């Protein structure tokens, strides 16, 4: 049965309540609270039963046919919720807003929050990564991208052009978990985000006018950015339905402040995860992240994905990393204290929103307990930022919250004895009454002579006196026992005195739970006053933790401080790939270091050499050294002089984009075009065997043209590896290009890689040698050599492809442009809105005839 088929005049009141709520949340699965379960109905139940592997049953709802239903226990719903969210569903949590014991009518129920992939505030999200939700706000002439991690309170806004490709690059660069778009957004863009990139995208058109959140955009001047932030805030406040005042003031993201890396570059360089297994281990992040706090780990990842371009800030970080290396005893002491600091950013979010428990406050207490010691060490190290120590807050939490507090807030044992006088009195009353129960049991044994008599308790019947079947006959009428329950092996009784004490005990326990809950909420309100300050402290602690991590890895792996220069000189001596070096060291292999030297008159290194010799590694280690240097980390080499780069572009490795139906070569050309369009003189370009995806001469021609374009038009530092040895002749005509090669030695047909970069070029690919190393059949290798000999004998002498006036136009090209311009001018002059269909058809016919004549 479908929800749309239901006759609402006949359904039960409870089901009517469900349907009214569901009407407002069409695109979500409803977790509908009924007693100790969350239940799902109709299509929601069918989906949930399939995705969660639950039994699909039915429920009577006043109709002839039972409606589809499945359910999950209220106390264990988180795991089920996580599975649905991970699969891209939204879930609305519907809670009972009244105690069923105190109401005679239908219990009031409401949606207390909608849980989505980008709005998680619980512990299920990755502690070492941000959980961003974004808004794409479309205007006729531009896009505004705003995004937030509501678990940490961060919120950013970025004004984009109307270039969809540029927008897509920024979306992919930030790795958003969920995206909302306004209704004006191009449906093609939405479809691309959903189908090609498998992102969670919802169309939403609300705007937040709540003055409570106006502080978030008070310093934003652009009204378009404010509109986008209001769009995002509306979605967040509508879904979370709670206090989100932990959200920080919005920051305008300035691309000029960061070394720009597109998603393709991050993947190629394996900055945060490996290409093959998509795991953190064996990525650059896995190597550099020695942070002791989740905040520090997140900050390292943020910096790797968006390194700095501000030399003053980079040098500041170097200074502190240097200081920590010298003062290594203080550093190790500092790391020990940082190890006791919990995730203050996300704790602040939970405290503000209200979904915290006593354990969260204990984590906060234990974190601020060590802040005075951290402050003392930072002062001794002359760190330039100061942190609060929160002595009063620590005292409050230390006196109030029980160290063994349960996870839920309605079980009692939250508050320590001695904190509240009224609570202590009620506890004393309850404790005295319980002592009375123990005494009563002993007295009843003596009074009745029944030695196995015992006093028990359960939630259904309360307190009772239990006597075995064989002893019941010994009870006398004057004992005043009243039968309450009969079981197979015993009878249960109550007495007037036991009833009286039961009311006192149970009343006291309920009062204790309510009192403790009220006191806990008051403590939470006091803690909320510190949220803004705690967030500032968390930001400082995260940076300190990150720089401690950089200092630690510098010592562990023998990294050195880079020297930043103002010209475009690069001089990296004995450069190493830090990740590969550590992998090799585990296998007891020695990494071969190489120099990367490019003076101010050298913009391109053209790299030749056999496959597997280390060309790609050489290129990657240059980019990784630049990234490490620009996050404030020391670098893997003997010495390093380098400028600050603004962008890095890479094309390394072949890959088809099968989803969008694009071949390796098309992907190559698109990525090359992106680099050539966006690169500046201060950029770094890494092209690995560009042009190999097409025919030999096509590929070689394109490779040469691209090299010439970079040399003449851009001037960016470029590493270009190739198997087109004819290109090495360009060193004679391109004065800023230098040939280098990866050396290898061939003896008796056996190839040995030396992995050493040397000046000059090689004119042999060693392809057959590499094939032999891959253990292809010997007969196949032999036949390949025979074929190669034929090609080499028949082939003409290598042509030298000299540079021509590539960017000047010949006469034919000029004529072609003139033709195009005439047609364009004719089209510009017409007014299609004031033409009849016949006039438009005649005009189109005349253009076609004109083109035909010109082609003749």
């Amino acid at each position: 049965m479908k929800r749309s088929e239901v006759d609402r005049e006949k359904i039960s009141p409870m089901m009517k309540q469900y349907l009214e709520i569901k009407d407002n949340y069409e695109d979500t699965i409803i977790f509908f609270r009924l007693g100790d379960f969350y239940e799902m109905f109709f299509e929601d139940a069918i989906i949930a039963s399939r995705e969660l592997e639950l039994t699909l049953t039915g429920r009577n709802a006043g109709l002839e046919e039972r409606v589809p239903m499945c359910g999950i226990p209220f106390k264990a719903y988180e795991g089920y919720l996580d599975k649905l969210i991970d699969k891209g569903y939204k879930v609305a949590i519907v809670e009972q807003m009244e105690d069923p014991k105190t109401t005679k009518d239908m219990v009031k129920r409401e949606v207390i929050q909608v849980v989505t992939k980008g709005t998680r505030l619980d512990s299920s999200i990755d502690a070492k990564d941000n959980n961003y939700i974004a808004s794409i706000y479309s205007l006729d002439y531009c896009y505004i991208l705003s995004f937030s991690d509501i678990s940490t309170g961060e919120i950013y806004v970025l004004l984009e052009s109307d270039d969809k490709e540029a927008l897509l690059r920024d979306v992919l660069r930030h790795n958003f978990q969920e995206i909302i778009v306004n209704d004006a957004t191009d449906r093609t863009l939405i479809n691309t985000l959903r189908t090609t990139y498998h992102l969670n995208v919802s169309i939403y058109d609300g705007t937040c006018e709540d003055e409570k959140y106006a502080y978030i955009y008070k310093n934003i001047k652009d009204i378009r950015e404010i509109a986008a932030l209001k769009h995002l805030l509306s979605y967040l406040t509508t879904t979370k339905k709670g206090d989100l005042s932990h959200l920080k003031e919005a920051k305008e993201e300035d691309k000029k402040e960061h070394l720009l890396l597109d998603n393709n570059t991050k993947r190629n360089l394996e900055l945060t995860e490996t290409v093959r297994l998509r795991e953190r281990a064996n990525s650059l992040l896995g190597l550099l992240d020695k942070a002791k706090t989740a905040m520090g780990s997140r900050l390292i990842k943020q910096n790797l994905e968006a390194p700095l371009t501000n030399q003053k800030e980079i040098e500041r970080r170097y200074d502190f990393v240097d200081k920590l290396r010298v003062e290594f005893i203080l550093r190790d002491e500092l790391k020990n204290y940082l190890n006791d600091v919990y995730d203050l950013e996300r704790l602040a979010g939970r405290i503000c929103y209200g979904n915290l428990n006593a354990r969260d406050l204990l984590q906060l207490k234990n974190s601020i307990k060590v802040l005075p010691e951290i402050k003392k060490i930072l002062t001794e190290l002359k760190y330039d930022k100061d942190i609060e120590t929160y002595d009063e807050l620590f005292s409050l939490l230390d006196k109030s919250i029980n160290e063994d507090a349960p996870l839920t807030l309605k079980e009692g044992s939250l508050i320590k004895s001695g904190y509240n006088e009224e609570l202590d009195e009620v506890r004393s009353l309850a404790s005295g009454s319980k002592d009375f129960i123990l005494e009563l049991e002993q007295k009843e044994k003596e009074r009745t002579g029944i030695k196995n008599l015992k006093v028990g308790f359960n939630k259904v019947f309360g307190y009772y006196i239990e006597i075995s079947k064989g002893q019941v006959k010994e009870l006398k009428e004057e004992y005043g026992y009243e039968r309450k329950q009969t079981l197979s092996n015993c009878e249960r009784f109550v007495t007037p005195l036991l009833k009286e004490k039961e009311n006192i005990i149970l009343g006291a326990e309920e009062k204790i739970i309510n009192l403790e809950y009220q006191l806990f909420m008051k403590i939470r309100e006091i803690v909320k006053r510190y949220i803004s300050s705690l967030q500032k402290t968390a930001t400082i602690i995260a940076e300190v933790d990150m720089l401690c991590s950089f200092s630690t890895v510098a010592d562990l792996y023998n990294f050195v401080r880079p020297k930043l220069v103002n010209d475009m000189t690069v001089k990296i001596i004995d450069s190493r790939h830090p990740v590969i070096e550590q992998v090799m060291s585990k296998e007891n292999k020695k990494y071969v270091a190489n120099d990367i030297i490019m003076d101010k008159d050298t913009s391109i290194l053209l790299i030749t050499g056999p496959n597997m010799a280390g060309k790609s590694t050489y290129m990657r280690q240059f980019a990784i050294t630049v990234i490490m240097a620009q996050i404030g980390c020391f670098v893997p080499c003997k010495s390093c002089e380098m400028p600050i780069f603004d962008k890095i572009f890479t094309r390394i490795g072949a890959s088809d984009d099968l989803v969008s139906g694009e071949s390796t070569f098309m992907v190559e050309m698109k990525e090359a075009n992106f680099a050539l369009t966006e690169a500046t003189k201060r950029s770094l370009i890494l092209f690995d065997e560009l042009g190999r995806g097409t025919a030999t001469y096509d590929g070689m021609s394109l490779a040469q043209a691209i090299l010439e374009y970079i040399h003449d038009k851009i001037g960016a530092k470029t590493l270009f590896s190739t198997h087109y040895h004819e290109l090495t002749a360009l060193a004679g005509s391109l004065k800023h290009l230098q040939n280098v090669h990866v050396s290898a030695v061939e003896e008796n047909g056996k190839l040995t890689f030396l992995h050493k970069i040397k000046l000059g070029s090689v004119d042999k690919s060693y392809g057959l040698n590499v094939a032999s190393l891959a253990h292809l059949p010997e007969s196949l290798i032999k036949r390949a050599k025979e074929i190669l000999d034929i090609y080499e004998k028949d082939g003409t002498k290598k042509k030298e492809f000299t540079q021509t006036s590539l960017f000047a136009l010949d006469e034919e090209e000029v004529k072609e442009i003139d033709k195009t311009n005439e047609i364009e001018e004719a089209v510009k002059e017409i007014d299609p809105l004031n033409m009849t269909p016949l006039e438009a058809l005649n005009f189109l016919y005349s253009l076609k005839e004109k083109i035909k004549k010109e082609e003749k």
Side-chain angles (χ1 to χ4, degrees):
M1 177 185 290
K2 295 181 179 179
R3 185 163 53 95
S4 58
E5 299 170 351
V6 170
D7 183 351
R8 299 200 180 190
E9 297 298 320
K10 297 179 180 178
I11 58 171
S12 64
M14 184 279 292
M15 191 56 66
K16 186 176 182 181
Q17 185 186 51
Y18 166 82
L19 290 173
E20 287 171 353
I21 293 173
K22 178 65 181 175
D23 287 343
N24 295 317
Y25 294 90
E26 292 281 353
D27 62 340
T28 65
I29 292 175
I30 303 288
F31 276 16
F32 194 75
R33 179 73 179 275
L34 286 171
D36 290 335
F37 285 83
Y38 283 126
E39 295 190 0
M40 289 146 277
F41 305 103
F42 298 104
E43 290 87 349
D44 285 1
I46 294 168
I47 292 170
S49 65
R50 181 184 69 243
E51 300 288 6
L52 302 176
E53 298 180 3
L54 300 173
T55 301
L56 184 66
T57 61
R59 185 182 186 92
N60 291 322
L63 305 170
E64 292 181 10
E65 185 182 343
R66 284 156 62 90
V67 303
M69 183 205 84
C70 67
I72 55 175
F74 157 69
K75 290 189 175 180
Y77 79 95
E78 290 94 344
Y80 297 102
L81 177 67
D82 290 344
K83 285 182 181 178
L84 289 174
I85 298 303
D86 288 341
K87 289 174 181 284
Y89 295 100
K90 299 178 183 180
V91 177
I93 309 292
V94 175
E95 279 294 345
Q96 296 174 169
M97 308 308 291
E98 299 172 320
D99 187 342
K101 297 175 184 174
T102 60
T103 180
K104 294 179 181 178
D105 300 322
M106 171 67 64
V107 174
K108 185 180 179 184
R109 293 179 176 87
E110 290 179 3
V111 174
I112 60 165
Q113 67 166 315
V114 178
V115 185
T116 68
K117 202 164 188 178
T119 60
R120 306 295 304 259
L121 271 168
D122 49 49
S123 58
S124 64
I125 50 180
D126 187 349
K128 294 188 175 185
D129 202 358
N130 282 101
N131 192 63
Y132 288 126
I133 178 172
S135 154
I136 297 175
Y137 196 76
S138 177
L139 299 175
D140 290 338
Y141 54 91
C142 71
Y143 296 100
I144 304 98
L145 185 64
S146 59
F147 54 99
S148 174
D149 181 345
I150 64 168
S151 68
T152 63
E154 300 162 78
I155 188 163
Y156 303 91
V157 64
L158 171 65
L159 188 63
E160 300 270 6
S161 67
D162 62 349
D163 183 350
K164 290 190 185 71
E165 290 297 323
L167 175 68
L168 280 171
R169 284 194 293 270
D170 278 333
V171 167
L172 297 175
R173 178 165 60 90
H174 288 95
N175 190 32
F176 298 129
Q177 296 299 307
E178 182 182 359
I179 298 171
I180 59 167
V181 299
N182 63 333
D183 193 52
T185 305
D186 189 307
R187 292 306 189 264
T188 306
L189 173 64
I190 297 172
N191 189 53
T192 300
L193 290 168
R194 285 175 175 166
T195 59
T196 305
Y197 299 107
H198 309 292
L199 295 171
N200 274 336
V201 183
S202 303
I203 299 172
Y204 178 82
D205 255 357
T207 185
C208 178
E209 299 297 345
D210 191 341
E211 286 300 313
K212 178 181 180 180
Y213 299 108
Y215 74 92
I216 291 172
Y217 47 82
K218 70 175 183 180
N219 292 321
I220 304 296
K221 306 300 181 188
D222 193 315
I223 58 172
R224 296 168 298 182
E225 292 181 347
I226 292 173
L229 287 167
K230 286 183 174 181
H231 179 239
L232 177 60
L233 286 169
S234 175
Y235 184 79
L236 295 180
T237 54
T238 302
T239 55
K240 299 317 291 178
K241 296 183 178 293
D243 186 358
L244 297 178
S245 55
H246 69 287
L247 290 173
K248 303 172 187 176
E249 290 183 22
K251 293 181 181 178
E252 291 178 288
E253 189 179 83
D254 186 352
K255 292 183 181 180
K256 293 178 182 177
E257 293 179 358
H258 299 284
L259 169 64
L260 293 183
L261 312 165
D262 66 351
N263 201 50
N264 174 61
T265 297
K266 288 194 300 183
R267 185 178 65 250
N268 283 338
L269 298 177
E270 298 187 309
L271 295 185
T272 59
E273 64 181 21
T274 57
V275 171
R276 183 173 296 176
L277 299 177
R278 303 198 69 179
E279 59 184 9
R280 189 185 180 98
N282 294 325
S283 69
L284 183 60
L285 176 61
L287 183 86
L288 297 183
D289 186 4
K290 309 297 181 192
K292 297 297 181 181
T293 69
M295 301 174 291
S297 291
R298 287 197 298 272
L299 188 60
I300 293 171
K301 186 171 187 285
Q302 287 173 12
N303 276 266
L304 276 176
E305 294 179 327
L308 305 177
T309 55
N310 185 320
Q311 183 170 343
K312 185 178 179 182
E313 176 59 23
I314 295 170
E315 296 279 10
R316 173 188 160 272
R317 291 184 180 183
Y318 290 162
D319 289 342
F320 193 63
V321 172
D322 239 343
K323 186 78 172 178
L324 288 166
R325 292 190 75 183
V326 173
E327 301 287 354
F328 60 90
I329 296 175
L330 281 177
R331 180 191 67 195
D332 292 344
E333 192 178 341
L334 178 59
K335 285 162 63 178
N336 287 335
Y337 287 122
L338 288 171
N339 202 42
D340 292 332
V341 178
Y342 289 85
D343 196 339
L344 291 176
E345 285 182 323
R346 285 183 170 160
L347 280 174
R350 290 205 291 274
I351 289 165
C352 199
Y353 183 65
N355 64 330
L356 80 162
N357 54 44
R359 304 279 178 88
D360 292 327
L361 290 186
L362 289 173
Q363 288 182 0
L364 177 61
K365 184 190 83 169
N366 292 332
S367 299
I368 61 180
K369 180 181 180 180
V370 297
L371 291 183
E373 297 300 328
I374 292 174
K375 181 184 178 77
K376 182 180 173 183
I377 294 172
L378 293 179
T379 302
E380 197 169 340
L381 291 168
K382 295 184 171 56
Y383 185 64
D384 56 0
K385 295 179 182 178
D386 193 26
I387 60 172
E388 297 288 332
T389 54
Y390 309 102
D391 297 336
E392 290 183 7
L393 179 58
F394 175 79
S395 177
L396 168 67
L397 296 175
D398 192 45
K399 288 188 297 185
S400 60
I401 305 299
N402 194 341
E403 299 292 345
D404 299 318
L407 286 171
T408 61
L409 303 181
K410 294 294 181 75
E411 292 182 33
S413 300
L414 294 175
I415 307 298
K416 283 182 176 179
S417 297
Y419 175 70
N420 179 270
E421 192 174 319
E422 182 184 359
L423 179 60
D424 288 345
E425 287 177 4
V426 180
R427 277 178 174 163
S428 178
L429 174 64
S431 177
S433 298
K434 284 184 177 179
D435 290 340
F436 168 80
I437 294 294
L438 295 174
E439 292 172 11
L440 176 67
E441 184 179 285
Q442 189 58 38
K443 286 180 180 177
E444 289 301 307
K445 284 180 180 179
E446 293 172 1
R447 185 162 76 103
T448 62
I450 302 172
K451 300 302 180 184
N452 63 355
L453 174 152
K454 64 179 181 181
V455 178
F457 173 82
N458 66 37
K459 289 185 178 180
V460 178
F461 293 103
Y463 284 95
Y464 54 80
I465 298 171
E466 186 174 285
I467 300 173
S468 64
K469 289 273 187 175
Q471 301 289 317
V472 169
K473 59 187 177 184
E474 297 182 24
L475 287 178
K476 298 178 182 178
E477 192 174 334
E478 61 261 31
Y479 293 160
Y481 276 42
E482 178 186 332
R483 182 176 279 101
K484 192 165 189 178
Q485 187 184 15
T486 300
L487 300 176
S488 60
N489 60 344
C490 65
E491 299 274 356
R492 289 175 176 174
F493 302 87
V494 292
T495 65
L497 184 58
L498 186 58
K499 279 184 180 179
E500 179 187 336
K501 287 297 179 181
E502 177 184 82
N503 291 333
I504 294 172
I505 293 169
L506 295 182
E509 287 181 349
E510 187 175 348
K511 190 171 183 180
I512 287 169
I513 288 171
N514 289 334
L515 256 177
E516 287 201 65
Y517 181 77
Q518 291 168 18
L519 291 169
F520 184 85
M521 289 296 107
K522 287 178 182 177
I523 293 165
R524 173 187 162 238
E525 289 304 311
I526 295 171
V527 175
K528 276 178 71 174
R529 299 173 198 163
Y530 293 87
I531 293 295
S532 179
S533 177
L534 283 168
Q535 287 177 324
K536 290 174 184 174
T537 296
T539 301
I540 296 171
I541 292 293
E543 185 188 61
V544 169
D545 195 14
M546 176 180 74
L547 297 178
C548 275
S549 185
F550 291 169
S551 174
T552 300
V553 295
D555 281 349
L556 280 173
Y557 308 128
N558 196 26
F559 295 167
V560 300
R561 177 172 179 157
K563 179 182 178 183
L564 301 178
V565 296
N566 292 323
D567 60 19
M568 292 303 290
T569 300
V570 175
K571 189 176 180 182
I572 306 172
I573 306 301
D574 285 348
S575 168
R576 315 185 306 272
H577 190 300
V579 179
I580 295 177
E581 181 184 32
Q582 293 313 306
V583 171
M584 289 179 67
S585 69
K586 292 173 185 175
E587 299 171 355
N588 294 318
K589 296 178 182 177
K590 184 171 175 58
Y591 187 88
V592 178
N594 277 296
D595 298 343
I596 305 173
I597 299 175
M598 302 176 80
D599 59 29
K600 60 184 179 181
D601 292 324
T602 303
S603 59
I604 301 173
L605 291 184
L606 184 61
I607 311 167
T608 50
N611 285 318
M612 295 175 57
K615 299 190 299 294
S616 298
T617 299
Y618 181 69
M619 298 168 78
R620 285 188 175 98
Q621 70 194 47
F622 184 13
I624 283 174
T625 298
V626 168
I627 290 166
M628 289 174 65
Q630 291 187 216
I631 65 174
C633 183
F634 287 10
V635 295
C637 57
K638 189 175 180 181
S639 65
C640 174
E641 288 183 25
M642 55 163 273
I644 290 177
F645 290 89
D646 62 356
K647 301 169 187 174
I648 295 179
F649 303 93
T650 65
R651 172 60 199 174
I652 301 174
S655 60
D656 291 0
D657 189 347
L658 297 176
V659 174
S660 58
E662 292 180 348
S663 67
T664 298
F665 185 64
M666 177 57 83
V667 173
E668 271 192 352
M669 291 301 100
K670 280 193 167 185
E671 291 175 2
N673 179 61
F674 174 54
L676 298 176
T677 305
E678 300 291 327
T680 71
K681 190 167 184 175
R682 301 198 70 86
S683 300
L684 173 62
I685 300 174
L686 307 177
F687 282 162
D688 187 17
E689 299 183 31
L690 197 67
R692 63 184 164 184
T694 187
T696 302
Y697 288 114
D698 280 356
M700 187 160 50
S701 303
L702 279 165
Q704 177 172 336
I706 287 169
L707 280 168
E708 290 172 354
Y709 189 92
I710 294 171
H711 182 276
D712 296 345
K713 297 290 184 179
I714 302 174
K717 293 294 184 190
T718 302
L719 269 58
F720 195 110
S721 74
T722 186
H723 282 295
Y724 300 135
H725 301 293
E726 293 84 352
L727 295 178
T728 59
L730 289 172
S733 56
L734 302 181
K735 64 179 181 179
H736 302 305
L737 181 146
Q738 186 176 69
N739 284 317
V740 296
H741 69 277
V742 191
S743 57
V745 176
E746 184 183 6
E747 292 181 3
N748 301 320
K750 184 180 179 182
L751 186 65
T752 303
F753 299 118
L754 301 180
H755 303 293
K756 199 71 181 174
I757 301 291
K758 295 182 178 180
L759 289 174
S761 61
V762 294
D763 58 0
K764 189 174 181 182
S765 290
Y766 300 102
L768 299 186
N769 303 77
V770 175
S772 182
L773 287 173
H775 303 296
L776 265 69
E778 285 187 22
S779 59
L780 185 153
I781 300 294
K782 184 179 179 182
R783 175 60 181 151
K785 285 179 180 177
E786 292 171 358
I787 297 169
L788 180 62
D789 287 341
I790 293 169
Y791 279 130
E792 288 180 341
K793 285 175 184 175
D794 292 349
T796 56
K797 187 179 178 181
K798 287 180 184 175
K799 296 177 183 178
E800 185 173 311
F801 293 83
T802 56
Q803 185 182 14
T804 61
S805 55
L806 180 68
F807 306 104
L809 300 173
D810 59 28
E811 290 183 14
E812 289 301 317
E813 289 174 317
V814 171
K815 287 179 184 177
E816 194 63 39
I817 289 173
D818 287 342
K819 289 178 190 175
T820 306
N821 287 345
E822 284 180 27
I823 293 169
E824 283 181 0
E825 290 302 318
V827 172
K828 285 179 183 177
E829 289 176 5
I830 67 162
D831 183 359
L833 295 178
N834 292 316
M835 293 175 78
T836 66
L838 184 59
E839 288 171 336
L841 190 61
N842 288 333
F843 178 75
L844 185 61
Y845 179 77
S846 67
L847 285 183
K848 187 175 180 181
E849 289 300 306
K850 187 172 186 178
I851 292 168
K852 277 184 181 177
K853 286 178 184 177
E854 289 171 345
E855 285 176 347
K856 290 176 183 176

